[in-house]
């Protein structure tokens, strides 16, 4: 597919996940089950941060393997302006366009 098309992956992230409140209770759900987490507790915060980093490492390893750039899409911002900004910064096949704006592990973590 990448031989004939420009392919990018969009990684939707919630900035709150990287910047948890110092003392709060969050309700987390998978659509069926839900649980309340005391995110002010160090052990809970570390577990959430570790799970997030593990997920990102898997995504980045896979996209590197297949040669697809990853663009960060924030759940805290309007989608259309982000897409215009991110896609406008992508290099084209013919070398035109902005600089390469693929996200790295450090960008979201």
């Amino acid at each position: 597919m990448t031989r004939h098309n420009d392919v990018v992956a969009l990684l939707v992230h919630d900035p709150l996940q990287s910047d948890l409140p110092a003392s709060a209770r969050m309700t987390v759900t998978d659509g069926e089950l839900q649980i309340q987490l005391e995110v002010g507790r160090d052990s809970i915060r570390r577990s959430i941060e570790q799970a997030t980093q593990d997920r990102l490492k898997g995504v980045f390893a896979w996209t590197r393997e297949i040669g697809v750039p990853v663009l960060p899409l924030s759940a805290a911002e309007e989608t259309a302006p982000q897409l215009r900004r991110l896609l406008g910064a992508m290099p084209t096949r013919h070398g035109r366009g902005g600089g390469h704006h693929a996200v790295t592990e450090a960008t979201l973590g």
Side-chain angles (χ1 to χ4, degrees), residues 3 14 19 31 35 39 42-44 51 55 62 67 71 81 83 92:
R3 278 189 233 151
D14 184 345
D19 190 20
I35 186 171
V39 296
D42 285 341
S43 61
I44 299 292
R55 181 180 73 92
W62 177 68
L71 302 178
L83 287 174
T92 63

Side-chain angles (χ1 to χ4, degrees), residues 18-80:
S18 301
D19 190 20
L20 295 169
S23 61
R25 181 178 293 165
M26 297 178 97
T27 301
V28 180
T29 182
D30 66 359
E32 292 183 26
L33 302 174
Q34 70 180 34
I35 186 171
Q36 283 199 347
L37 297 174
E38 297 287 341
V39 296
R41 291 180 48 200
D42 285 341
S43 61
I44 299 292
R45 293 171 74 84
R46 280 193 304 273
S47 293
I48 292 170
E49 289 167 2
Q50 186 62 52
T52 299
Q53 291 305 312
D54 291 346
R55 181 180 73 92
L56 290 174
K57 284 179 186 175
V59 169
F60 289 121
W62 177 68
T63 56
R64 262 192 312 271
E65 181 180 317
I66 63 173
V68 172
V70 180
L71 302 178
L73 195 63
S74 173
E77 298 178 43
E78 290 291 326
T79 303

